[in-house]
Structures are given as C-alpha cells and as structure tokens.
Amino acid sequence: MAFPTETVYGIGADASNAEATKRMYLVKNRPADHPVIVHIADLNDVDYWAQDIPDYAIALMRDFWPGPMTLLLQRTSNVKDFITGGQDVVGIRIPANTIALNLLTEFHKLGGRGIAAPSANRYGAVSPTTANAVIAELQDYLEPRDQILDGGSCAVGIESTIIDCTKSNPAILRHGAITAEMIEVSTGIVIADPSSEAIRVSGSDKKHYAPNAKVHINTVPQPGHGLIALAEVETPTGVIRLAAPKSIEEYARIFYAALRDADLQNLKNISVMPPAGDGLAVAIRDRISRAAA
Ligand code: TXA
Ligand code: MG
C-alpha cells in the first residue's frame, strides 16, 4: 500500500513478511541489498526492532518523533536481513502524518509490528509528493489488490534526515528537515562526520532523485529551459518558470513536483538556483546536486 507521510509518499509492506517486502522491492525495482526504513506508530515499538540504544538517540526520539527523522540503530533478532540488506543496523521512523499514523495504528491492532516503506518512486527516480505522482511512477507495476492512500501534498516535501546512532556521536547520513543545529541542541553532543566505513544509504548514490531533464545549477536559463528559483529571482523572457517559492520551507515542499512538471512538459533542460544558508537549505542543495549528477 502506498501512503502519504509528511516527507514523501512511501510504498509499504509488512516489515515482518518476506513475501510482501520482496514484492515491494520488485515494484520499486530496488536492488535487494538496499535497506528499507521500518515505520512505526509508537515509541513503545522501538524496542521490538532495536537494542543498545544510546541516550542521545532517545533524546532525538522524544524531541522529533513523530517527524521527518530516521534513526539507524542496532537491530534485534526480530529484524530480518530482507529489511536491512544484511547489515546489522535497522532504520526506524515515526512519521508525522495522520493518515500514515492511522494506517500504522490499525496495522498494529491486527498484530503487525511495523511497515517497511521506501519512497514510492522507481529506483533512482524523483520521490513522489502527491498520490498522482505515485500513480505516474508505479501504475505499470501495481496489481488490482494494491492500494494508494491519497493524502494530498506532503507537508515537508523532501525525505527524512537519516542519523546514524550506532556510534558515540550521532552522524547525519542524509540531510533533511531535522537539521544539524536541531540535533546538536537536542542531544548536547557534537555531530560526527560520517565514518569511512559508513553504513550504505542508497539515497547517497551520487545520481539519485533525478528527472529525465538535465539539471543545471546556477546557470542562466536559455529560452525554452525550465527555471526553479526563489520568488525574488525574475523569469527571463522565453523561460518556463517551474517554481517560485517564497521561503526555504516552500522550496523543499515544491521542488520534486517542479522536477516532475518539467518531465511532463518534456523540457530537456532545467536551471536551478539553490537557496543559500544552513538549516533546511543544506538538504535542498543536497537534493539539487543529486538531481544534477
Ligand atoms: O522520508 C523518508 O525517509 C521516506 C518516507 C517514505 O518515510 N522514505 C525514504 O525511504 O526516503 P528510501 O528507502 O527511499 O530512503 C531511505 C534511505 C535509503 O537510502 C536506505 O539505504 C537508508 O535510508 N536506510 C534504510 N534503512 C537502513 C539501514 N538499516 N541501514 C542503512 N541505511 C538504511
Ligand atoms: Mg528513496
């Protein structure tokens, strides 16, 4: 079942069910050794999936869950290799979206422990932030028994922050709306650089989140090219304005939809002006550079 979260839409399967998750990987066309995040509704369910949890991770859970944050933790024996790609850590998240939380709660009442869900796009493509985008991505691969829950547009618009919580200091493996500053304030610990033997994160493949159109960063758009930039940037004559967000938050919310729009309009080139600054702007610049890779 595809469902909305506050970040992007996910395509979910019972995290304990090998058959279900296998089919989810197939629909997504994701390599089997790439791990997938387990979504839960309640802090009480963390211990089922994770153990040896550091105090700083508990601080993060209390401050930012439900929310756009995934924690990588030591796994328990309940976690099967088909969820982690054979690694000994598990990714867990409580999403802040009413439909997602209701789905997870109802699933729990039926005996389910968690829903494994990657973003509901084909492997390497742009994450969907509306139900229509999920249909566009996956309709050729779904069966009549599959379902898509329509929750409108996602509130955040880019994927969750992924934090490695298996070492003495937290490390950010994927930037998102929970920022480095927020993590340091919450935990009182300095963030570590991701170590060289870093855990594999598939979104960290250089080319990921990419549209068909070619993305150019900070170049002057030519007539016929698309343009994504803050509202203060004017649109040159003949350029197709794809998005003109008025804030960093709005930029994150509409960026993926703007990339999809460019492909729908069959544009060959998109000029993107990245937002400056830290906080959420760091995550947006990360997604822009991947879209351009
Ligand atoms: O916002 C999000 O995180 C969305 C929504 C649906 O929750 N999900 C999402 O999932 O972006 P996905 O699979 O597209 O990206 C999750 C990333 C992948 O790069 C995966 O490799 C990494 O998280 N990941 C998940 N579990 C992991 C684990 N046990 N160890 C290392 N990396 C993990
Ligand atoms: Mg993804």
Side-chain angles (χ1 to χ4, degrees):
M1 180 182 280
F3 60 96
T5 79
E6 80 280 33
T7 57
V8 301
Y9 276 71
I11 175 162
D14 180 351
S16 305
N17 184 322
E19 280 299 303
T21 49
K22 190 171 164 197
R23 224 189 121 242
M24 176 264 282
Y25 272 70
L26 208 75
V27 167
K28 193 176 159 68
N29 195 31
R30 175 181 263 190
D33 64 344
H34 282 248
V36 65
I37 297 167
V38 176
H39 296 70
I40 57 176
D42 196 295
L43 274 178
N44 291 321
D45 289 328
V46 172
D47 288 340
Y48 180 83
W49 298 104
Q51 59 190 352
D52 302 329
I53 302 169
D55 288 344
Y56 71 77
I58 292 172
L60 291 169
M61 293 176 198
R62 292 195 195 289
D63 281 350
F64 302 124
W65 274 351
M69 176 183 79
T70 297
L71 300 185
L72 300 186
L73 299 161
Q74 277 315 320
R75 73 180 191 180
T76 64
S77 58
N78 294 317
V79 180
K80 301 295 183 269
D81 280 345
F82 55 79
I83 291 304
T84 69
Q87 304 184 87
D88 56 3
V89 297
V90 61
I92 305 179
R93 169 163 122 80
I94 303 182
N97 172 286
T98 309
I99 293 176
L101 286 172
N102 285 343
L103 173 67
L104 288 162
T105 304
E106 292 302 315
F107 183 63
H108 197 274
K109 283 186 200 156
L110 298 171
R113 301 309 295 245
I115 296 182
S119 53
N121 51 281
R122 293 282 280 174
Y123 182 66
V126 176
S127 298
T129 53
T130 64
N132 277 339
V134 177
I135 294 171
E137 280 288 323
L138 302 182
Q139 61 183 348
D140 293 347
Y141 311 96
L142 296 178
E143 294 176 359
R145 63 183 167 150
D146 300 323
Q147 295 184 51
I148 300 174
L149 295 177
D150 189 344
S153 294
C154 298
V156 174
I158 58 173
E159 303 81 359
S160 61
T161 307
I162 298 182
I163 309 170
D164 178 4
C165 297
T166 63
K167 313 251 160 58
S168 53
N169 293 50
I172 298 180
L173 301 191
R174 180 175 73 184
H175 288 276
I178 302 302
T179 65
E181 296 82 348
M182 293 161 77
I183 295 166
E184 292 192 341
V185 168
S186 165
T187 63
I189 327 184
V190 176
I191 290 175
D193 282 335
S195 68
S196 48
E197 81 272 25
I199 300 165
R200 282 196 315 279
V201 176
S202 75
S204 66
D205 291 351
K206 201 141 188 277
K207 183 176 166 69
H208 213 85
Y209 315 116
N212 298 325
K214 179 143 188 40
V215 172
H216 309 269
I217 301 174
N218 270 333
T219 58
V220 179
Q222 304 302 308
H225 290 191
L227 174 62
I228 300 173
L230 284 165
E232 67 211 38
V233 177
E234 284 181 21
T235 311
T237 314
V239 166
I240 296 114
R241 190 61 178 254
L242 296 166
K246 290 179 200 64
S247 65
I248 301 291
E249 287 72 25
E250 190 185 355
Y251 203 130
R253 202 154 53 233
I254 66 183
F255 178 63
Y256 285 150
L259 294 181
R260 275 177 192 285
D261 187 22
D263 283 349
L264 273 178
Q265 296 193 50
N266 261 316
L267 301 188
K268 298 287 171 277
N269 296 281
I270 314 170
S271 198
V272 182
M273 310 291 172
D278 35 64
L280 185 56
V282 176
I284 298 173
R285 289 198 298 274
D286 167 72
R287 301 311 190 277
I288 292 172
S289 66
R290 289 178 203 289

